Amino acid sequence: MAQFGIYIHWPFCESKCPYCDFNSHVSGILDEAAWRDAYLAELNRYAVETQNHVVTSVYFGGGTPSLMAADTVAAVLQRIQGLWSVSNDFEVTAEANPSSSNRAQFEAFRKAGVNRLSLGMQSLCDESLVFLGRRHTSVEARRAALEAAQVFDRYSLDFIYALPGQTASAWRSELEQILALASGHLSLYQLTIEPGTQFHKDRVPAAGEDVAEVLFRTTRNIMQAAGLADYEISNHALPGEECRHNLIYWRGEYYIGIGPGAHGRLPTHRLNEGLAVEAIQEIRLPNAWLMAVQSGEGGTQKRTALGREERLEELILMGLRLTEGIEFRRFERLFGAPLLTQLDKQKLEHLTDRGFLEQGENTLAATAKGRQRLNAVLAALIV
Ligand code: SF4
């Protein structure tokens, strides 16, 4: 069944973490009612052109959605259910930070309709939390994880590794502690130094390729032994506990993004070209977005028709991140042509022979070795 997601971006944080390149802003007092009304108005606007989709997931991301009032979350979810049909296993995820959440608030979110929490723990080591600019301690992170487990059947914990100087044995011991707190899902990201961040300005070094590879393998082995296989490069889950919303992105399905800087992908048709897709981007600055919505113009910055090559690259790039790979039937439904007719046969054979890709009856997937060097594999396959 086709999946369709709605992403809601709450762009505000208590402070800016030095590694963060998300569209997040530190703001003083907010007019939350004005923000709630703006989200509702945008949902109304998008519903007109996406009525034929059944919503399978909603994701409150940020920024720090745990700073939102539960009433705002409830109003958004009620409006979504009033405007669209939703699937029976409708997933509603909210991101939360330990420094801006507590059990009462988790309960209020659950009452509002959130059924999955993604908790930004980032580390269980106080020194690392200070380095990462986080506002919580390891004790507060553990407390938040336990409260999440008391309130939500489904929750994910997020961590960052490959910090400067982090050894495999230190990370291994932290992973053992992480597993003791985990339920069905863990997101484990390597620290990357992105342009525009404070770490980039401070020339914080990223882990070398060799160290990153050892840490990546360590992570994968420990997670696999614990039954939380890597279903995506940085995401691990028990079978059936995968994040359905993020699968929408990786599988190339359609979604809308509501809120400052949010992105969307919707199908369209171009004369003589059949199926095509539009990339939609919302206005990035929070106040500019809010004012555009309040003026009645809507919060969209631009809509760009993706060329065939761009869409092909996007579907391959996202699909090969997944352990399951790219399913041929889904690809054809979304692209309008069979995958194997779009790829250079020689390049495909070369990468398969060298053990970076594997072709099943219904799928093309990157092997574990291929996923570890995915950028190089993609460059060799589609450039
Ligand atoms: S809390 Fe998250 S979104 Fe906010 S600044 Fe830190 S990393 Fe970025």
Side-chain angles (χ1 to χ4, degrees):
M1 176 187 145
Q3 308 285 300
F4 180 66
I6 300 180
Y7 174 78
I8 308 286
H9 190 76
W10 180 260
F12 304 112
C13 288
E14 294 169 298
S15 54
K16 184 81 180 173
C17 303
Y19 59 88
C20 176
D21 72 334
F22 299 140
N23 187 27
S24 63
H25 304 260
V26 180
S27 174
I29 293 167
L30 292 173
D31 181 351
E32 179 131 353
W35 279 86
R36 183 199 58 219
D37 292 348
Y39 288 120
L40 300 182
E42 286 291 88
L43 288 168
N44 290 348
R45 183 170 73 87
Y46 270 109
V48 175
E49 63 171 310
T50 56
Q51 268 310 296
N52 53 337
H53 294 278
V54 175
V55 178
T56 53
S57 94
V58 176
Y59 193 101
F60 291 88
T64 307
S66 51
L67 293 172
M68 292 173 87
D71 285 354
T72 306
V73 173
V76 166
L77 291 171
Q78 270 164 25
R79 183 62 58 92
I80 287 171
Q81 291 176 82
L83 291 169
W84 284 272
S85 302
V86 303
S87 64
N88 291 338
D89 58 353
F90 183 48
E91 177 184 273
V92 181
T93 304
E95 291 179 350
N97 278 343
S99 58
S100 58
S101 53
N102 54 52
R103 184 174 169 148
Q105 193 221 16
F106 288 164
E107 278 169 353
F109 268 40
R110 194 186 62 180
K111 200 159 160 240
V114 173
N115 54 28
R116 181 176 183 276
L117 198 79
S118 176
L119 192 60
M121 312 262 288
Q122 314 316 356
S123 178
L124 291 177
C125 162
D126 283 316
E127 206 181 313
S128 301
L129 287 168
V130 170
F131 169 73
L132 292 168
R134 304 297 297 195
R135 295 170 71 94
H136 59 267
T137 63
S138 60
V139 169
E140 287 163 337
R142 286 173 196 277
R143 187 258 317 144
L146 293 175
E147 288 174 346
Q150 285 161 0
V151 177
F152 292 98
D153 291 336
R154 298 182 72 213
Y155 66 92
S156 174
L157 307 178
D158 284 23
F159 289 88
I160 300 176
Y161 68 102
L163 307 188
Q166 189 173 34
T167 62
S169 74
W171 176 231
R172 205 175 294 121
S173 119
E174 193 172 341
L175 273 177
E176 300 297 344
Q177 297 172 54
I178 289 169
L179 280 170
L181 293 167
S183 164
H185 193 283
L186 286 171
S187 297
L188 306 169
Y189 298 101
Q190 292 203 345
L191 177 68
T192 55
I193 309 297
E194 303 297 336
T197 62
Q198 191 57 46
F199 274 177
H200 192 262
K201 285 180 202 139
D202 295 345
R203 297 173 189 270
V204 170
E209 224 172 273
D210 291 355
V211 176
E213 208 170 306
V214 169
L215 292 171
F216 184 82
R217 266 207 313 271
T218 302
T219 309
R220 198 165 166 267
N221 292 342
I222 293 180
M223 288 299 114
Q224 262 184 350
L228 279 90
D230 54 332
Y231 69 99
E232 192 265 349
I233 290 177
S234 307
N235 286 277
H236 307 257
L238 292 175
E241 285 303 309
E242 299 85 359
C243 174
R244 288 175 219 148
H245 190 85
N246 287 340
L247 281 174
I248 288 175
Y249 304 147
W250 295 318
R251 287 175 173 167
E253 301 276 1
Y254 303 121
Y255 57 94
I256 56 173
I258 308 273
H263 292 263
R265 290 284 182 282
L266 286 178
T268 170
H269 284 85
R270 252 176 295 164
L271 215 52
N272 304 325
E273 284 192 39
L275 187 60
V277 169
E278 260 186 348
I280 306 172
Q281 193 184 341
E282 301 298 290
I283 296 167
R284 196 172 157 82
L285 286 177
N287 281 340
W289 178 85
L290 184 62
M291 280 163 61
V293 175
Q294 287 173 332
S295 75
E297 285 173 18
T300 300
Q301 172 88 49
K302 61 177 178 185
R303 300 178 73 124
T304 316
L306 291 180
R308 297 275 294 170
E309 289 301 312
E310 269 178 294
R311 179 64 173 157
L312 176 66
E313 282 183 23
E314 180 173 88
L315 287 173
I316 294 175
L317 195 138
M318 298 301 258
L320 291 185
R321 295 182 66 92
L322 290 170
T323 305
E324 68 181 20
I326 304 167
E327 205 215 341
F328 293 150
R329 267 191 316 182
R330 178 180 296 116
F331 179 91
E332 195 164 342
R333 166 169 61 78
L334 293 167
F335 190 72
L339 174 62
L340 297 180
T341 64
Q342 305 299 308
L343 297 173
D344 182 305
K345 206 164 166 252
Q346 270 184 343
K347 289 179 181 174
L348 189 58
E349 268 173 21
H350 177 69
L351 288 164
T352 309
D353 290 346
R354 294 192 59 201
F356 292 113
L357 293 177
E358 59 193 351
Q359 209 176 305
E361 204 179 317
N362 304 311
T363 56
L364 175 70
T367 59
K369 179 172 140 185
R371 288 198 303 281
Q372 213 168 314
R373 298 168 189 80
L374 194 56
N375 287 343
V377 171
L378 291 166
L381 182 65
I382 54 185
V383 173

